Amino acid sequence: MRRLTALPDPDLPPAGATAARDDAADAAVGPCPLCGRPMVAGPSLDRHHWVPRSQGGREQTLMHRICHRKIHSVLTERDLAAAYDSPDALRTHPEIARFLKWVRKKPPEYMDRHRRKRG
């Protein structure tokens, strides 16, 4: 008879491990290319394609998830490819500029949701 054993949960620390946070997980990754705040490895980060993949883009950069979501809540993929394919170009958009002024006061690991406004 075959014995079934449960596989370890990948989201839980290994048996016998302490609950202390791993120093590598808290390591600073560098500044966000959009808002300039420090980035900390973990769930608060996303990868952003400067030109969307659907528009033929390949180059991507790590940035805050909240910054990434704001970009996509405001601009279409076509807009991103045509006029907003760099951090400098994105900062010139009025709604993104207002968002950056607000988010720069938040801690690096801050996450929030955005309402979709795109048409």
Side-chain angles (χ1 to χ4, degrees):
M1 188 168 174
R2 237 170 117 187
R3 176 179 276 174
L4 298 176
T5 56
L7 294 174
D9 187 342
D11 295 330
L12 296 175
T18 63
R21 292 177 64 171
D22 184 30
D23 289 338
D26 290 335
V29 182
C32 177
L34 187 62
C35 72
R37 295 178 303 138
M39 295 189 297
V40 177
S44 65
L45 302 181
D46 266 348
R47 293 204 176 272
H48 174 66
H49 287 85
W50 293 110
V51 174
R53 289 186 304 173
S54 65
Q55 304 292 314
R58 299 213 184 281
E59 183 184 346
Q60 60 181 347
T61 304
L62 200 60
M63 69 172 36
H64 289 116
R65 178 170 286 171
I66 191 170
C67 296
H68 187 217
R69 287 184 176 173
K70 184 61 176 184
I71 291 168
H72 289 287
S73 74
V74 173
L75 299 163
T76 65
E77 291 184 354
R78 204 171 268 175
D79 292 337
L80 286 168
Y84 297 102
D85 60 352
S86 72
D88 292 332
L90 283 166
R91 286 185 208 106
T92 65
H93 189 281
E95 191 168 341
I96 299 290
R98 278 193 306 275
F99 164 78
L100 292 174
K101 185 176 179 181
W102 171 80
V103 82
R104 284 187 178 129
K105 299 172 189 166
K106 303 294 181 193
E109 295 165 325
Y110 181 79
M111 293 192 301
D112 194 9
R113 300 170 96 178
H114 290 286
R115 286 181 238 155
R116 290 231 182 252
K117 286 189 174 182
R118 292 187 315 196

